[in-house]
Amino acid sequence: MRSAAPVMFRHFLNKEESFMYDRETNFPMEDTRNDARIEFTEKGIQHLASRRCEIIKLSKSSAVIGILTKFHLPQTFYLDIPSARIPLIGCLLKRVHANNVIEARFLRLLSDRDLNRIFVYSTHPNHRNRTLDIYR
């Protein structure tokens, strides 16, 4: 009699959820240069780790982030942009490149107000003349 090896059944939604962000419309990426922090949990929920990074490109739905050192990054993490006073933005890791650059997808779309605030505090020359609209 043959012994049955344990079979892991995957729910049909797991495959659907993994492609969900690839099917969404991509917003155009804009060059930027903002300091940020990546925050994630190590060892479950016991310890919240934080690493410095730099946002290289940004759109309403995703970002290209440059990290300083190579470290193990989980599939879900938070992006914190302290200069623009935008706290924790939930992110999904899309792709990790060999040159310490990662692509991340936001769990929610950034509003135009938040996007403008990020570009105001950017050190990239393209955003030198942007001003912060405080009346909106």
Side-chain angles (χ1 to χ4, degrees):
M1 186 170 179
R2 288 177 24 186
S3 64
V7 177
M8 298 293 288
F9 290 104
R10 289 175 46 117
H11 195 269
F12 71 95
L13 286 178
N14 289 345
K15 185 174 181 182
E16 189 69 26
E17 288 171 356
S18 67
F19 296 110
M20 179 174 64
Y21 292 99
D22 295 333
R23 289 189 193 143
E24 284 185 356
T25 58
N26 289 327
F27 292 95
M29 294 283 243
E30 231 179 301
D31 290 336
T32 185
R33 198 177 304 140
N34 290 81
D35 291 329
R37 269 195 315 258
I38 293 176
E39 296 184 357
F40 56 94
T41 55
E42 289 180 340
K43 301 179 178 126
I45 3 176
Q46 298 173 358
H47 176 61
L48 186 67
S50 178
R51 301 279 193 268
R52 291 180 55 163
C53 64
E54 183 179 36
I55 302 173
I56 300 169
K57 290 184 178 225
L58 185 71
S59 74
K60 281 184 157 190
S61 62
S62 60
V64 176
I65 303 167
I67 54 179
L68 301 174
T69 57
K70 196 141 191 124
F71 60 91
H72 176 69
L73 192 62
Q75 289 295 319
T76 58
F77 58 91
Y78 294 106
L79 185 65
D80 185 22
I81 308 169
S83 63
R85 292 190 182 117
I86 297 177
L88 304 172
I89 303 169
C91 297
L92 287 175
L93 185 66
K94 279 179 62 178
R95 194 171 292 127
V96 178
H97 299 282
N99 58 350
N100 290 346
V101 172
I102 62 173
E103 294 180 31
R105 188 83 175 188
F106 300 141
L107 292 179
R108 64 174 172 86
L109 293 178
L110 289 179
S111 66
D112 290 332
R113 182 177 181 216
D114 287 343
L115 205 58
N116 188 37
R117 183 182 290 163
I118 292 169
F119 291 145
V120 164
Y121 291 104
S122 173
T123 58
H124 197 275
N126 289 351
H127 306 294
R128 188 174 297 139
N129 297 329
R130 291 226 186 190
T131 57
L132 190 60
D133 188 10
I134 58 173
Y135 296 111
R136 270 202 238 177

